[in-house]
Amino acid sequence: MNIDDSILTSCLFFTSNRFARSMTKMAEDAFAKADLSPTYSYVLVVVYQYPGITQKELCDKLSIAPSTSTRFIDKLEEKNLVERKSEWKETHIFLTEEGKALYKELNQYFELLYGQYASILGKEHSEQLTKLLHESSEMLKKGKL
């Protein structure tokens, strides 16, 4: 029997989700020692890069819903990694000293993750793929109705 897998190999939705599952597993393995998921780690990175970021700005940068960011911030606050400071009607998010210390540690996990997928895909291919995915995500975001 000849099975046609073209629907699987030519479908961007299926292929991108399959790729994302593989990358998620690899990232979870790389960040296992941090006692923090890769997603939470990216929240810390953004808060580190933009001290005092608002929740709305954080949502925009990470392309997540406000309810998701609330859940992330609540958990990071419980772990004493971030703190909220209210100014008028806005709440700003900052890293605590513990958060800053963990941020420095996270860099080694990001490097480990990059090293793992670059060793499989190749450095040049990894960089091109990252660039194409970022550009494509931006195009989809702008083209969204």
Side-chain angles (χ1 to χ4, degrees):
M1 177 190 256
N2 186 9
I3 299 174
D4 184 5
D5 284 336
S6 63
I7 188 69
L8 302 178
T9 59
S10 64
C11 176
L12 181 59
F13 174 78
F14 176 81
T15 303
S16 63
N17 278 290
R18 181 177 176 215
F19 182 80
R21 285 189 298 276
S22 296
M23 287 302 302
T24 297
K25 173 71 172 110
M26 192 177 289
E28 287 170 349
D29 291 347
F31 282 80
K33 290 182 185 175
D35 193 32
L36 199 63
S37 77
T39 305
Y40 285 94
S41 299
Y42 280 100
V43 173
L44 284 182
V45 167
V46 172
V47 174
Y48 176 84
Q49 290 178 338
Y50 301 93
I53 192 169
T54 65
Q55 186 169 344
K56 181 182 182 327
E57 293 168 331
L58 183 66
C59 291
D60 289 343
K61 293 217 176 284
L62 295 174
S63 298
I64 57 176
S67 59
T68 303
S69 70
T70 298
R71 192 174 70 247
F72 289 168
I73 295 164
D74 287 348
K75 181 162 182 160
L76 292 171
E77 205 170 36
E78 285 173 21
K79 291 179 168 272
N80 197 34
L81 299 172
V82 301
E83 62 184 342
R84 295 175 172 120
K85 293 183 182 176
S86 295
E87 290 181 21
W88 292 83
K89 293 183 180 183
E90 289 186 325
T91 301
H92 298 269
I93 306 156
F94 297 88
L95 291 184
T96 62
E97 290 305 315
E98 287 180 47
K100 290 175 186 174
L102 181 58
Y103 170 80
K104 292 177 183 172
E105 183 184 325
L106 291 176
N107 285 324
Q108 68 183 326
Y109 304 124
F110 285 112
E111 289 176 16
L112 176 62
L113 175 61
Y114 174 77
Q116 287 175 339
Y117 68 74
S119 71
I120 297 167
L121 301 173
K123 183 180 179 206
E124 185 178 326
H125 186 77
S126 297
E127 290 170 359
Q128 288 174 344
L129 182 57
T130 301
K131 181 181 177 193
L132 284 170
L133 285 171
H134 175 75
E135 290 171 352
S136 299
S137 293
E138 289 298 309
M139 291 168 68
L140 289 173
K141 185 178 176 181
K142 289 176 185 171
K144 201 178 200 181
L145 299 176

